[in-house]
Amino acid sequence: MIRPSSRLPGFYHLPPQQRQDALAAWAALDSEQQAALAGGLDLAAAEQLVENVVGLYALPLAIAPNFLIDGRDYLLPLVIEEPSVVAAMSNAARLARAGGGFHTGSDEPVMIGQMQLLDVPDPDAARDRILAAQAELLAGLQGLHPTIRRLGGGPLGLEVRPLLHTPAGPMLIVHLLFDTRDAMGANAVNTACEALAPALETLSRGRVLLRILSNLSDRRRAWAACRVPLAALDSETFAGAAVAQGIVAANAFALADPYRAATHNKGIFNGIDAAALATGQDWRAIEAGAHAYAARDGHYRALTTWQIEAGHLAGRLELPLAVGVVGGMTRHHPTVRVALHILGHPDARGLAQILAAAGLAQNLAALRALAAEGIQQGHMALHQRRQT
Ligand code: NAD
């Protein structure tokens, strides 16, 4: 189905009921889906999610228009309580659109499961035995996860990482690489790690303690890039080229300084978390993975880069994004299902790429506002010096 443009001038000015009508027409929502915009989750569904439920807790669900991602129009469902984020993202998506929108990509959905082996008498020999038995070990997982296997996913390989100097002494860590297809995959990976543990104990002659996924899902990254023509950054007060230079300098600050990087990346998560919440994702898992990734060279840094290239401001965001469109909350929350419908039912990789575009849009909006403020202050100081 060819989707209408996501440029919705005037959407901002409509009362909420009329916005709902415009959204329903744009995304072809039926009456049940429209009803789910008003909350969706009931107590019975909440009982399926967590323990000791006593009620429900509402947050605003908003739409950011203007998104063009890989040539396709999107209205972005966002759940967030912080004012200005939705408006800022919509505005940044309009700027990115002037340069062809966001271009995105992603790795295959490969998660990492970890098994911790203790009291291993000879770690080198144990590593060799485990790697030699790899094919057999993976074949032993055949019976698990028939759906994921039928869809082309499942266990892919093992890696062995000795950690020789920990406060608890040496240990051997085995990584299971597992393609979880359209699932976030925590349960699937944890089950596979549990199933592997007895054979690993035999091969290593040690004992297995932890068997759980890693949230640093760096085999499962998504990225988004955009190129904004400098002229699109022009305003009545500032030249676009000066704003772009300010954005590049602000980004350089966040690449070099963890104090600034934490705030810079927090802004990125204003966009990613809002879209992740709307689509039923485990946003703690996403944040844990991305912050660890931001410190992967031992220094916590900005997750984005910005530079000026041939008359354009070019930005890129890359981060691990373990998201799913099956399982977890996507099964139980009617509003989550509507949000995924509004996005055109992406697969897990497609959703990760949309979230990356959301994060980059928020970053562009935040840096533009901060850089323009700095330019304004510089301008006023210069003005005052001239007056005196
Ligand atoms: P899940 O177990 O609910 O669903 C995944 C299952 O869906 C698969 O095992 C498969 O049987 C089925 N499935 C159907 N269609 C599929 C498709 N196209 N692709 C893949 N699988 C398909 O969910 P999950 O993704 O394994 O786990 C996610 C949940 O685990 C989240 O709610 C998360 O909060 C929670 N969790 C997270 C952590 C962590 O991040 N550290 C730890 C434990 C649990």
Side-chain angles (χ1 to χ4, degrees):
M1 185 179 113
I2 295 180
R3 294 205 283 184
S5 169
S6 61
R7 280 283 295 129
L8 300 180
F11 189 71
Y12 178 74
H13 295 291
L14 296 175
Q17 180 57 55
Q18 283 180 35
R19 273 195 217 115
Q20 281 185 359
D21 294 344
L23 172 65
W26 191 93
L29 301 184
D30 63 25
S31 53
E32 203 178 314
Q33 288 171 321
Q34 289 183 54
L37 295 176
L41 199 67
D42 60 18
L43 280 179
E47 276 281 292
Q48 302 291 313
L49 286 170
V50 301
E51 312 74 38
N52 298 359
V53 170
V54 295
L56 301 167
Y57 181 113
L59 283 170
L61 167 67
I63 286 288
N66 303 334
F67 275 82
L68 185 64
I69 305 175
D70 299 317
R72 194 169 175 194
D73 278 280
Y74 289 90
L75 298 183
L76 236 58
L78 301 172
V79 169
I80 189 158
E81 85 300 346
E82 187 174 333
S84 302
V85 171
V86 178
M89 286 173 71
S90 311
N91 195 27
R94 192 174 50 75
L95 292 175
R97 205 180 171 92
F102 297 95
H103 297 280
T104 69
S106 59
D107 295 320
E108 294 287 336
V110 177
M111 296 295 281
I112 298 168
Q114 295 195 295
M115 289 141 288
Q116 178 193 24
L117 289 160
L118 299 173
D119 304 331
V120 177
D122 182 346
D124 286 341
R127 183 190 57 211
D128 293 347
R129 282 195 297 272
I130 291 167
L131 291 176
Q134 182 170 175
E136 205 182 315
L137 288 166
L138 298 185
L141 301 175
Q142 278 289 356
L144 297 173
H145 314 300
T147 310
I148 290 183
R149 281 180 170 273
R150 187 168 41 76
L151 296 166
L156 295 173
L158 297 177
E159 290 173 346
V160 183
R161 298 172 53 231
L163 293 183
L164 300 178
H165 306 287
T166 83
M171 52 187 78
L172 206 58
I173 310 302
V174 180
H175 279 189
L176 167 67
L177 305 183
F178 192 108
D179 181 329
T180 63
R181 293 288 91 197
D182 287 322
M184 182 271 189
N187 293 318
V189 171
N190 292 347
T191 315
C193 288
E194 276 160 28
L196 274 178
L200 291 179
E201 286 190 334
T202 309
L203 286 163
S204 68
R205 295 166 197 157
R207 63 186 172 95
V208 171
L209 190 60
L210 302 191
R211 291 148 293 173
I212 188 164
L213 88 159
S214 168
N215 283 113
L216 176 50
S217 50
D218 59 2
R219 306 297 173 101
R220 194 178 186 177
R221 295 160 311 163
W223 49 89
C226 67
R227 281 165 58 83
V228 184
L230 294 183
L233 294 166
D234 281 341
S235 68
E236 277 176 22
T237 344
F238 312 117
V243 174
Q245 278 160 10
I247 289 174
V248 172
N251 193 77
F253 179 15
L255 284 168
D257 177 31
Y259 288 92
R260 174 59 208 152
T263 323
H264 180 100
N265 290 342
K266 188 276 181 184
I268 292 172
F269 283 101
N270 279 342
I272 293 182
D273 284 353
L277 259 172
T279 54
Q281 304 307 313
D282 182 338
W283 69 96
R284 289 89 53 206
I286 296 174
E287 289 231 9
H291 292 299
Y293 189 69
R296 64 192 177 284
D297 67 0
H299 183 116
Y300 184 86
R301 299 179 191 284
L303 287 162
T304 47
T305 55
W306 289 97
Q307 55 207 28
I308 296 172
E309 283 174 4
H312 290 74
L313 173 69
R316 189 174 193 279
L317 166 65
E318 177 188 289
L319 71 167
L321 269 164
V323 298
V325 295
V326 296
M329 193 153 73
T330 62
R331 233 179 335 182
H332 300 289
H333 202 306
T335 319
V336 163
R337 289 202 292 273
V338 177
L340 290 170
H341 175 87
I342 294 167
L343 292 174
H345 298 287
D347 62 12
R349 287 178 67 181
L351 179 60
Q353 291 170 211
I354 293 168
L355 296 193
L360 187 60
Q362 211 297 331
N363 187 240
L364 171 60
L367 291 185
R368 182 175 179 241
L370 290 170
E373 257 174 49
I375 294 166
Q376 170 72 15
Q377 271 165 16
H379 176 81
M380 291 309 289
L382 211 67
H383 190 66
Q384 270 165 11
R385 269 207 304 268
R386 285 209 186 107
Q387 304 268 307
T388 51

mmCIF file of all heavy atoms in Angstrom, residues 145 147-148 151 180-190 212-213 215 282 284-285 326-329 331, ligand 1:
data_model
loop_
_atom_site.group_PDB
_atom_site.id
_atom_site.type_symbol
_atom_site.label_atom_id
_atom_site.label_comp_id
_atom_site.label_asym_id
_atom_site.label_seq_id
_atom_site.Cartn_x
_atom_site.Cartn_y
_atom_site.Cartn_z
ATOM 1 N N HIS A 145 13.121 -23.870 20.485
ATOM 2 C CA HIS A 145 12.758 -22.733 19.624
ATOM 3 C C HIS A 145 12.402 -23.118 18.190
ATOM 4 O O HIS A 145 13.004 -22.611 17.229
ATOM 5 C CB HIS A 145 13.917 -21.713 19.589
ATOM 6 C CG HIS A 145 14.475 -21.423 20.935
ATOM 7 N ND1 HIS A 145 13.716 -20.901 21.950
ATOM 8 C CD2 HIS A 145 15.711 -21.588 21.448
ATOM 9 C CE1 HIS A 145 14.467 -20.768 23.027
ATOM 10 N NE2 HIS A 145 15.674 -21.186 22.750
ATOM 11 N N THR A 147 9.897 -22.308 16.381
ATOM 12 C CA THR A 147 9.385 -21.187 15.565
ATOM 13 C C THR A 147 10.540 -20.359 15.027
ATOM 14 O O THR A 147 10.603 -20.043 13.838
ATOM 15 C CB THR A 147 8.457 -20.291 16.415
ATOM 16 O OG1 THR A 147 7.505 -21.118 17.052
ATOM 17 C CG2 THR A 147 7.770 -19.244 15.577
ATOM 18 N N ILE A 148 11.481 -20.012 15.908
ATOM 19 C CA ILE A 148 12.620 -19.186 15.487
ATOM 20 C C ILE A 148 13.430 -19.923 14.419
ATOM 21 O O ILE A 148 13.853 -19.345 13.420
ATOM 22 C CB ILE A 148 13.487 -18.805 16.714
ATOM 23 C CG1 ILE A 148 12.712 -17.813 17.592
ATOM 24 C CG2 ILE A 148 14.840 -18.238 16.294
ATOM 25 C CD1 ILE A 148 13.450 -17.295 18.799
ATOM 26 N N LEU A 151 11.869 -19.883 11.036
ATOM 27 C CA LEU A 151 11.981 -18.572 10.397
ATOM 28 C C LEU A 151 13.416 -18.240 9.983
ATOM 29 O O LEU A 151 13.699 -17.139 9.522
ATOM 30 C CB LEU A 151 11.453 -17.491 11.351
ATOM 31 C CG LEU A 151 9.955 -17.625 11.669
ATOM 32 C CD1 LEU A 151 9.577 -16.767 12.855
ATOM 33 C CD2 LEU A 151 9.126 -17.242 10.447
ATOM 34 N N THR A 180 17.691 -14.227 16.840
ATOM 35 C CA THR A 180 16.353 -14.320 17.454
ATOM 36 C C THR A 180 15.247 -13.813 16.520
ATOM 37 O O THR A 180 14.124 -13.608 16.963
ATOM 38 C CB THR A 180 16.307 -13.545 18.782
ATOM 39 O OG1 THR A 180 16.550 -12.160 18.527
ATOM 40 C CG2 THR A 180 17.334 -14.059 19.764
ATOM 41 N N ARG A 181 15.582 -13.573 15.258
ATOM 42 C CA ARG A 181 14.591 -13.114 14.261
ATOM 43 C C ARG A 181 13.796 -11.901 14.760
ATOM 44 O O ARG A 181 14.371 -10.914 15.085
ATOM 45 C CB ARG A 181 13.658 -14.271 13.862
ATOM 46 C CG ARG A 181 14.307 -15.404 13.108
ATOM 47 C CD ARG A 181 14.674 -15.021 11.686
ATOM 48 N NE ARG A 181 16.025 -14.492 11.584
ATOM 49 C CZ ARG A 181 16.470 -13.797 10.542
ATOM 50 N NH1 ARG A 181 15.688 -13.570 9.522
ATOM 51 N NH2 ARG A 181 17.683 -13.343 10.514
ATOM 52 N N ASP A 182 12.481 -12.004 14.847
ATOM 53 C CA ASP A 182 11.691 -10.821 15.189
ATOM 54 C C ASP A 182 11.428 -10.664 16.679
ATOM 55 O O ASP A 182 10.652 -9.802 17.083
ATOM 56 C CB ASP A 182 10.352 -10.858 14.439
ATOM 57 C CG ASP A 182 10.560 -10.552 12.971
ATOM 58 O OD1 ASP A 182 11.405 -9.698 12.660
ATOM 59 O OD2 ASP A 182 9.905 -11.195 12.134
ATOM 60 N N ALA A 183 12.067 -11.519 17.495
ATOM 61 C CA ALA A 183 11.904 -11.386 18.946
ATOM 62 C C ALA A 183 13.066 -10.580 19.513
ATOM 63 O O ALA A 183 14.166 -10.617 18.967
ATOM 64 C CB ALA A 183 11.869 -12.767 19.595
ATOM 65 N N MET A 184 12.812 -9.859 20.613
ATOM 66 C CA MET A 184 13.932 -9.257 21.349
ATOM 67 C C MET A 184 14.866 -10.386 21.773
ATOM 68 O O MET A 184 16.085 -10.266 21.677
ATOM 69 C CB MET A 184 13.383 -8.483 22.560
ATOM 70 C CG MET A 184 14.414 -7.761 23.386
ATOM 71 S SD MET A 184 15.051 -8.848 24.696
ATOM 72 C CE MET A 184 16.013 -7.723 25.655
ATOM 73 N N GLY A 185 14.281 -11.465 22.269
ATOM 74 C CA GLY A 185 15.042 -12.702 22.382
ATOM 75 C C GLY A 185 15.578 -13.060 23.746
ATOM 76 O O GLY A 185 16.241 -14.089 23.885
ATOM 77 N N ALA A 186 15.287 -12.264 24.776
ATOM 78 C CA ALA A 186 15.851 -12.557 26.101
ATOM 79 C C ALA A 186 15.475 -13.970 26.548
ATOM 80 O O ALA A 186 16.337 -14.744 26.988
ATOM 81 C CB ALA A 186 15.370 -11.527 27.121
ATOM 82 N N ASN A 187 14.206 -14.320 26.416
ATOM 83 C CA ASN A 187 13.779 -15.635 26.910
ATOM 84 C C ASN A 187 14.378 -16.752 26.075
ATOM 85 O O ASN A 187 14.845 -17.759 26.618
ATOM 86 C CB ASN A 187 12.249 -15.720 26.918
ATOM 87 C CG ASN A 187 11.678 -14.754 27.945
ATOM 88 O OD1 ASN A 187 12.203 -14.627 29.052
ATOM 89 N ND2 ASN A 187 10.618 -14.052 27.574
ATOM 90 N N ALA A 188 14.380 -16.557 24.757
ATOM 91 C CA ALA A 188 14.913 -17.592 23.875
ATOM 92 C C ALA A 188 16.392 -17.837 24.181
ATOM 93 O O ALA A 188 16.844 -18.987 24.290
ATOM 94 C CB ALA A 188 14.729 -17.159 22.421
ATOM 95 N N VAL A 189 17.155 -16.758 24.346
ATOM 96 C CA VAL A 189 18.600 -16.895 24.597
ATOM 97 C C VAL A 189 18.849 -17.503 25.977
ATOM 98 O O VAL A 189 19.700 -18.398 26.134
ATOM 99 C CB VAL A 189 19.296 -15.524 24.454
ATOM 100 C CG1 VAL A 189 20.734 -15.586 24.924
ATOM 101 C CG2 VAL A 189 19.246 -15.060 23.003
ATOM 102 N N ASN A 190 18.090 -17.059 26.966
ATOM 103 C CA ASN A 190 18.282 -17.606 28.314
ATOM 104 C C ASN A 190 18.009 -19.113 28.342
ATOM 105 O O ASN A 190 18.751 -19.881 28.962
ATOM 106 C CB ASN A 190 17.377 -16.886 29.326
ATOM 107 C CG ASN A 190 17.804 -15.432 29.518
ATOM 108 O OD1 ASN A 190 18.886 -15.033 29.091
ATOM 109 N ND2 ASN A 190 16.959 -14.644 30.158
ATOM 110 N N ILE A 212 22.783 -16.253 31.118
ATOM 111 C CA ILE A 212 21.831 -15.182 30.786
ATOM 112 C C ILE A 212 22.358 -14.351 29.619
ATOM 113 O O ILE A 212 23.580 -14.270 29.412
ATOM 114 C CB ILE A 212 21.552 -14.283 32.028
ATOM 115 C CG1 ILE A 212 20.413 -13.288 31.735
ATOM 116 C CG2 ILE A 212 22.815 -13.597 32.541
ATOM 117 C CD1 ILE A 212 19.800 -12.643 32.951
ATOM 118 N N LEU A 213 21.420 -13.723 28.900
ATOM 119 C CA LEU A 213 21.820 -12.883 27.762
ATOM 120 C C LEU A 213 22.672 -11.701 28.225
ATOM 121 O O LEU A 213 22.596 -11.286 29.388
ATOM 122 C CB LEU A 213 20.591 -12.362 27.007
ATOM 123 C CG LEU A 213 19.958 -11.055 27.483
ATOM 124 C CD1 LEU A 213 19.136 -10.429 26.398
ATOM 125 C CD2 LEU A 213 19.131 -11.281 28.726
ATOM 126 N N ASN A 215 23.071 -7.676 27.676
ATOM 127 C CA ASN A 215 22.357 -6.536 27.090
ATOM 128 C C ASN A 215 23.261 -5.680 26.205
ATOM 129 O O ASN A 215 22.785 -4.775 25.521
ATOM 130 C CB ASN A 215 21.688 -5.687 28.171
ATOM 131 C CG ASN A 215 20.421 -6.344 28.686
ATOM 132 O OD1 ASN A 215 20.343 -6.758 29.838
ATOM 133 N ND2 ASN A 215 19.439 -6.483 27.822
ATOM 134 N N ASP A 282 11.481 -3.211 25.696
ATOM 135 C CA ASP A 282 12.166 -3.154 26.990
ATOM 136 C C ASP A 282 13.216 -2.046 26.882
ATOM 137 O O ASP A 282 14.337 -2.269 26.418
ATOM 138 C CB ASP A 282 12.816 -4.513 27.267
ATOM 139 C CG ASP A 282 13.508 -4.570 28.621
ATOM 140 O OD1 ASP A 282 13.859 -3.497 29.166
ATOM 141 O OD2 ASP A 282 13.715 -5.688 29.122
ATOM 142 N N ARG A 284 14.778 -0.441 29.187
ATOM 143 C CA ARG A 284 15.957 -0.566 30.081
ATOM 144 C C ARG A 284 17.033 -1.386 29.364
ATOM 145 O O ARG A 284 18.226 -1.093 29.457
ATOM 146 C CB ARG A 284 15.598 -1.253 31.408
ATOM 147 C CG ARG A 284 14.752 -0.433 32.350
ATOM 148 C CD ARG A 284 13.289 -0.627 32.097
ATOM 149 N NE ARG A 284 12.889 -2.021 32.088
ATOM 150 C CZ ARG A 284 11.828 -2.501 31.425
ATOM 151 N NH1 ARG A 284 11.079 -1.701 30.703
ATOM 152 N NH2 ARG A 284 11.522 -3.776 31.461
ATOM 153 N N ALA A 285 16.597 -2.427 28.666
ATOM 154 C CA ALA A 285 17.562 -3.255 27.931
ATOM 155 C C ALA A 285 18.248 -2.420 26.847
ATOM 156 O O ALA A 285 19.465 -2.506 26.659
ATOM 157 C CB ALA A 285 16.840 -4.453 27.302
ATOM 158 N N VAL A 326 7.441 -9.401 18.221
ATOM 159 C CA VAL A 326 6.638 -10.497 18.760
ATOM 160 C C VAL A 326 7.084 -10.688 20.208
ATOM 161 O O VAL A 326 8.163 -10.239 20.589
ATOM 162 C CB VAL A 326 6.875 -11.827 17.987
ATOM 163 C CG1 VAL A 326 6.422 -11.719 16.555
ATOM 164 C CG2 VAL A 326 8.345 -12.222 18.052
ATOM 165 N N GLY A 327 6.251 -11.350 21.005
ATOM 166 C CA GLY A 327 6.623 -11.643 22.386
ATOM 167 C C GLY A 327 6.592 -10.406 23.265
ATOM 168 O O GLY A 327 6.237 -9.309 22.817
ATOM 169 N N GLY A 328 6.966 -10.607 24.536
ATOM 170 C CA GLY A 328 6.982 -9.491 25.489
ATOM 171 C C GLY A 328 5.653 -8.758 25.531
ATOM 172 O O GLY A 328 4.580 -9.367 25.437
ATOM 173 N N MET A 329 5.727 -7.432 25.618
ATOM 174 C CA MET A 329 4.512 -6.616 25.762
ATOM 175 C C MET A 329 3.724 -6.523 24.450
ATOM 176 O O MET A 329 2.555 -6.165 24.450
ATOM 177 C CB MET A 329 4.891 -5.221 26.253
ATOM 178 C CG MET A 329 3.702 -4.423 26.715
ATOM 179 S SD MET A 329 4.108 -3.197 27.939
ATOM 180 C CE MET A 329 4.964 -1.959 26.994
ATOM 181 N N ARG A 331 2.479 -8.657 22.781
ATOM 182 C CA ARG A 331 1.386 -9.627 22.767
ATOM 183 C C ARG A 331 0.170 -9.127 23.533
ATOM 184 O O ARG A 331 -0.951 -9.472 23.220
ATOM 185 C CB ARG A 331 1.870 -10.923 23.419
ATOM 186 C CG ARG A 331 1.647 -12.110 22.540
ATOM 187 C CD ARG A 331 2.142 -13.369 23.186
ATOM 188 N NE ARG A 331 3.186 -13.113 24.178
ATOM 189 C CZ ARG A 331 3.795 -14.080 24.839
ATOM 190 N NH1 ARG A 331 3.471 -15.318 24.633
ATOM 191 N NH2 ARG A 331 4.734 -13.816 25.719
HETATM 192 P P1 NAD B 1 9.020 -14.072 24.190
HETATM 193 O O1 NAD B 1 9.658 -15.283 24.800
HETATM 194 O O2 NAD B 1 7.771 -13.548 24.796
HETATM 195 O O3 NAD B 1 8.720 -14.325 22.642
HETATM 196 C C1 NAD B 1 9.622 -14.867 21.748
HETATM 197 C C2 NAD B 1 8.997 -16.084 21.116
HETATM 198 O O4 NAD B 1 8.055 -15.714 20.116
HETATM 199 C C3 NAD B 1 9.998 -16.944 20.393
HETATM 200 O O5 NAD B 1 10.686 -17.817 21.242
HETATM 201 C C4 NAD B 1 9.145 -17.667 19.365
HETATM 202 O O6 NAD B 1 8.634 -18.875 19.911
HETATM 203 C C5 NAD B 1 7.952 -16.754 19.158
HETATM 204 N N1 NAD B 1 7.904 -16.144 17.805
HETATM 205 C C6 NAD B 1 6.809 -16.048 17.018
HETATM 206 N N2 NAD B 1 7.080 -15.418 15.862
HETATM 207 C C7 NAD B 1 8.402 -15.104 15.883
HETATM 208 C C8 NAD B 1 9.267 -14.409 14.986
HETATM 209 N N3 NAD B 1 8.837 -13.919 13.810
HETATM 210 N N4 NAD B 1 10.551 -14.242 15.362
HETATM 211 C C9 NAD B 1 10.997 -14.690 16.534
HETATM 212 N N5 NAD B 1 10.227 -15.359 17.426
HETATM 213 C C10 NAD B 1 8.922 -15.569 17.112
HETATM 214 O O7 NAD B 1 9.990 -12.855 24.116
HETATM 215 P P2 NAD B 1 11.547 -12.686 24.055
HETATM 216 O O8 NAD B 1 11.773 -11.770 22.912
HETATM 217 O O9 NAD B 1 12.329 -13.950 24.104
HETATM 218 O O10 NAD B 1 11.847 -11.913 25.417
HETATM 219 C C11 NAD B 1 11.534 -10.554 25.558
HETATM 220 C C12 NAD B 1 11.123 -10.277 26.992
HETATM 221 O O11 NAD B 1 12.117 -10.720 27.909
HETATM 222 C C13 NAD B 1 10.953 -8.806 27.221
HETATM 223 O O12 NAD B 1 9.699 -8.611 27.830
HETATM 224 C C14 NAD B 1 12.084 -8.472 28.208
HETATM 225 O O13 NAD B 1 11.686 -7.426 29.058
HETATM 226 C C15 NAD B 1 12.286 -9.747 28.954
HETATM 227 N N6 NAD B 1 13.582 -9.999 29.590
HETATM 228 C C16 NAD B 1 14.673 -9.189 29.415
HETATM 229 C C17 NAD B 1 15.873 -9.487 30.041
HETATM 230 C C18 NAD B 1 17.060 -8.583 29.788
HETATM 231 O O14 NAD B 1 17.009 -7.721 28.926
HETATM 232 N N7 NAD B 1 18.179 -8.738 30.508
HETATM 233 C C19 NAD B 1 15.987 -10.621 30.833
HETATM 234 C C20 NAD B 1 14.873 -11.445 30.973
HETATM 235 C C21 NAD B 1 13.671 -11.141 30.350
#
